[in-house]
C-alpha cells in the first residue's frame, strides 16, 4: 500500500472502530501501521492455491485437482 | 568491592548475616527517600505497611526462602491493598482487592513488599512528558534513561532500592533493563510463573525476576513459582562447563548496527566460557527478521484486544505514546494474527531442533548501550532494540541476561544465555559459572555507593 492508501485505511478503520483520534495522532499512527503491515506481510504465505491443514506454508506442490 | 550498605548485599549474604527484617527494610526505605527523587524507580512506595510487616516478621519464627527480604514489583502486577497503575492515568487510583499469584507467593516466602516499580505505560509505549510517573534514570549515568519496560525494577535493584524484583517480559522487558543496569534478569520458560493478576499479552509475556546475582534470581524464581519447579537437575557440576555445548552467533549473524563495545564484550564472554571448558560452535538462523515480525504482530494484536474497549471509552486517560502503541493492533487482520501464530510454531520447532546439538545459546542481550539509542524512531519501529531477546518470547525458551562488561563511558553490558524450554535451573547454573568467573557483578553504580556519579 502507498502512504496515502495507508493513511486512508487508518482513518477508515479508526472511524469504524469508534477510535477517537486527533489528526496528529492519525498521522503518527499511519507511520506506525505502515511499519506493522510491512512486518505482517513477511508472514503471509505465498501459495498460488489454497492449502489444506498440515501442509507446510509455501508448499507449491498443492494445486487444485 | 567492599559493600558500604546492607541494601547492596545479595539476598544470600543478608540471610547469612542473619540481619533483622526491620533493619534491611529501614535501610532500603531510607535509600529510596534519598535516591528516588533522582532515579524515579518507584511509582508507589508502601513505607508504612513494609515497616509494619518487617517488624511482624522479626517477632515471628524465621521461615521462608525470602524471609525479611525487601522486594518490589513492576506496577503492572496486582498487589492487594496497594495501588497498581501500570504507570497509566486510567488506573491511577486502582487498588486491587487481590494479589497476583506471584505476589502472594513471594509474600508467603517471607518477602517484604516495599513498593511498585516504574515502567513504560502498560509495558508497551515509550516514556513521554505526559507519563503518570517520569521515566526511570539509569543509575550508572542519570543523564540517560533506563531501558524499559521494567526499567524501574532494573534501576531499583542496581541502586539498592530493593534486593530483588519481579518484572514482565514480552520482548525483552526484563532482560534489557537488567543488562542496561548491570544486574541479572531472567525470562523463565513461558508459563513457568503464573500470569494471574498481571497485565501482559498472553502468548508472549512472562513474569521474570531481576536481582544482583544469579543465585538471588534463582531464589526469587523458586519463591514466585510457589514451589520448586520440577526442572532443577543441573548438568554435571563435577565436569564444570566441560559438559556444556555452547552455541554462538557467527559475526555474520550480528546486526550491522550493534554497538562495537557490545560486540567486543560478547566476543570476550565466548572466550571466557571456552576457558571454563564449554565446547563452542556457531549456530545460524536464530536472529530472524521474520521472528521479529511475528512478535510485533502478536504483541500488537493481543495488546489491542486487551485495551480496545477502554481505548474507545477513555482515550484521554492513556498517554500519547501508549495510545498509539496500543491502538496499532486494530489495523491488523485476523489472518495476519493467524499467520504470526503459525510462524511461531515453526520457529519454535526450529529452535527446539537447535537444542538437540547445543545445551545453551549465547547472544548479546541488547544491541545498544543506551535507551536513547534504542528509542530512535527508525530503530524502535523495526524492533531493532529487541532483536536478540524477542525471538525467545516467540519460542518460549528460558533466557537470562548476566553482566558481561562495561563500555568506556561506564555503562553496563549484558550477554544473554538461552536454554531448552523447561531447563530454567540448568540455564541458571551455567549463568552462575560465568558470573562467578567474572568480576562484573561485583560493581555498583557510584550513586548507590553514596558518591557523585
Amino acid at each position: 500500500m502507498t502512504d496515502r492508501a495507508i493513511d486512508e485505511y487508518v482513518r477508515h478503520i479508526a472511524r469504524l472502530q469508534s477510535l477517537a483520534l486527533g489528526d496528529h495522532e492519525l498521522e503518527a499512527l499511519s507511520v506506525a501501521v505502515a511499519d506493522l503491515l510491512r512486518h505482517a506481510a513477511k508472514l503471509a504465505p505465498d501459495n498460488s492455491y489454497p492449502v489444506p491443514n498440515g501442509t507446510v506454508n509455501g508448499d507449491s506442490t498443492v494445486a487444485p485437482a | 568491592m567492599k559493600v558500604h550498605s546492607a541494601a547492596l548485599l545479595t539476598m544470600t549474604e543478608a540471610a547469612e548475616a542473619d540481619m533483622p527484617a526491620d533493619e534491611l527494610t529501614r535501610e532500603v526505605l531510607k535509600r529510596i527517600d534519598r535516591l528516588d527523587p533522582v532515579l524515579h524507580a518507584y511509582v508507589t512506595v508502601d513505607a508504612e505497611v513494609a515497616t509494619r510487616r518487617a517488624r511482624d516478621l522479626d517477632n515471628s519464627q524465621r521461615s521462608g526462602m525470602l524471609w525479611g527480604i525487601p522486594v518490589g514489583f513492576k506496577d503492572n502486577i496486582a498487589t492487594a491493598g496497594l495501588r497498581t497503575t501500570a504507570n497509566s492515568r486510567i488506573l491511577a487510583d486502582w487498588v486491587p482487592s487481590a494479589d497476583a499469584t506471584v505476589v502472594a507467593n513471594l509474600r508467603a516466602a517471607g518477602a517484604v513488599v516495599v513498593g511498585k516499580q516504574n515502567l513504560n505505560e502498560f509495558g508497551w509505549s515509550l516514556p513521554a512528558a505526559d507519563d503518570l510517573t517520569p521515566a526511570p534514570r539509569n543509575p550508572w549515568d542519570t543523564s540517560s534513561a533506563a531501558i524499559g519496560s521494567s526499567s524501574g525494577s532494573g534501576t531499583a535493584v542496581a541502586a539498592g532500592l530493593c534486593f530483588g524484583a519481579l518484572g514482565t517480559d514480552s520482548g525483552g522487558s526484563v532482560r534489557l533493563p537488567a543488562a542496561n543496569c548491570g544486574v541479572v534478569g531472567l525470562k523463565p520458560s513461558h508459563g513457568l510463573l503464573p500470569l494471574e493478576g498481571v497485565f501482559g499479552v498472553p502468548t508472549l509475556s512472562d513474569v521474570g525476576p531481576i536481582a544482583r546475582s544469579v543465585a538471588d534470581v534463582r531464589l526469587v524464581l523458586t519463591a514466585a513459582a510457589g514451589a520448586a519447579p520440577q526442572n532443577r537437575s543441573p548438568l554435571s557440576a563435577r565436569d564444570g562447563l566441560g559438559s556444556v555445548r555452547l552455541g554462538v552467533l557467527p559475526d555474520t549473524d550480528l546486526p550491522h548496527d550493534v554497538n562495537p563495545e557490545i560486540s567486543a564484550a560478547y566476543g570476550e564472554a565466548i572466550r571466557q566460557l571456552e576457558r571454563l571448558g564449554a565446547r563452542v560452535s556457531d549456530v545460524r538462523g536464530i536472529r530472524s527478521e521474520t521472528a521479529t515480525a511475528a512478535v510485533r504482530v502478536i504483541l500488537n494484536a493481543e495488546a489491542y484486544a486487551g485495551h480496545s474497549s477502554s481505548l474507545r471509552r477513555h482515550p484521554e486517560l492513556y498517554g500519547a505514546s501508549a495510545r498509539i502503541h496500543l491502538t496499532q493492533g486494530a489495523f491488523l487482520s485476523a489472518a495476519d494474527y493467524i499467520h504470526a501464530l503459525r510462524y511461531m510454531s515453526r520457529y519454535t520447532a526450529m529452535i527446539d531442533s537447535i537444542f538437540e546439538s547445543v545445551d545453551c545459546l549465547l547472544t548479546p542481550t541488547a544491541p545498544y548501550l543506551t535507551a536513547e539509542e534504542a528509542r530512535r524512531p527508525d530503530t524502535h519501529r523495526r524492533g531493532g532494540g529487541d532483536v536478540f531477546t524477542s525471538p525467545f518470547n516467540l519460542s518460549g525458551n528460558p533466557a537470562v541476561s548476566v553482566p558481561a562488561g562495561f563500555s568506556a563511558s561506564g555503562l553496563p553490558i549484558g550477554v544473554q544465555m538461552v536454554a531448552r524450554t523447561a531447563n530454567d535451573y540448568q540455564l541458571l547454573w551455567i549463568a552462575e559459572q560465568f558470573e562467578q568467573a567474572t568480576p562484573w557483578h561485583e560493581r555498583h553504580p557510584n550513586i548507590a555507593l553514596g558518591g557523585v556519579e
Side-chain angles (χ1 to χ4, degrees), chain A residues 9 17 25 35 39 45 57, chain B residues 304 312 323 331 346 381:
Chain A
Y9 172 71
Q17 297 261 1
E25 286 179 312
D35 281 316
H39 281 308
N57 190 17
Chain B
Y304 180 64
R312 287 191 195 102
R323 217 157 40 228
F331 304 90
R346 296 200 300 281
R381 289 205 313 263

Side-chain angles (χ1 to χ4, degrees), chain B residues 367-381:
Chain B
Y368 311 118
L369 286 170
T370 66
E372 288 73 20
E373 283 178 277
R375 290 171 188 163
R376 280 195 305 260
D378 175 55
T379 306
H380 178 65
R381 289 205 313 263

Side-chain angles (χ1 to χ4, degrees), chain B residues 311-327:
Chain B
L311 278 167
R312 287 191 195 102
R313 290 180 187 178
H314 308 291
E316 75 286 358
L317 294 179
Y318 288 88
S321 176
R323 217 157 40 228
I324 300 294
H325 278 77
L326 296 168
T327 302

Side-chain angles (χ1 to χ4, degrees), chain B residues 15-26:
Chain B
E16 283 169 358
D18 201 22
M19 297 187 69
D22 183 51
E23 186 180 332
L24 292 177
T25 302
R26 274 190 290 115

Side-chain angles (χ1 to χ4, degrees), chain B residues 95-254:
Chain B
V95 179
S97 57
D99 277 333
T101 306
V102 287
V103 174
N105 289 345
L106 257 56
R107 288 193 209 269
V112 175
V113 179
V114 291
K116 304 302 292 294
Q117 291 162 340
N118 205 350
L119 67 156
N120 299 8
E121 186 172 353
F122 281 107
W124 187 219
S125 65
L126 292 178
D130 60 351
D131 284 346
L132 183 66
T133 307
R137 312 308 298 175
N138 190 323
W140 294 89
D141 175 5
T142 55
S143 69
S144 186
I147 293 180
S149 67
S150 308
S151 38
S153 303
T155 294
V157 169
L161 308 187
C162 66
F163 279 70
L166 283 178
T168 57
D169 189 317
S170 309
S173 288
V174 161
R175 292 161 284 165
L176 293 169
N180 187 229
C181 292
V183 294
V184 184
L186 170 73
K187 184 205 84 68
S189 294
H190 185 57
L192 182 64
L193 294 184
L195 278 168
E196 287 89 358
V198 178
F199 286 100
V201 293
T203 301
L204 301 173
S205 298
D206 281 293
V207 175
I210 299 177
R212 289 189 289 271
S213 73
V214 175
D216 284 1
V217 159
R218 182 167 44 230
L219 271 177
V220 178
L221 173 71
T222 305
Q230 295 304 304
N231 60 2
R232 303 203 65 174
S233 60
L235 291 160
S236 171
R238 189 184 52 208
D239 300 334
L241 289 188
S243 58
V244 171
R245 300 165 298 170
L246 182 73
V248 302
L249 302 181
D251 288 346
T252 49
D253 271 21
L254 290 175

Side-chain angles (χ1 to χ4, degrees), chain B residues 235-236 239-248 273-274 276-283 352-362 417-420 423 426-427 429-430:
Chain B
L235 291 160
S236 171
D239 300 334
L241 289 188
S243 58
V244 171
R245 300 165 298 170
L246 182 73
V248 302
L273 286 158
E274 268 185 315
L276 291 170
R279 288 170 285 151
V280 174
S281 61
D282 283 352
V283 173
D352 284 349
S353 71
I354 286 174
F355 280 109
E356 288 170 13
S357 54
V358 301
D359 302 301
C360 180
L361 291 170
L362 183 76
M417 296 177 181
V418 187
R420 192 178 286 118
N423 282 18
Q426 193 174 83
L427 173 67
W429 179 77
I430 296 168

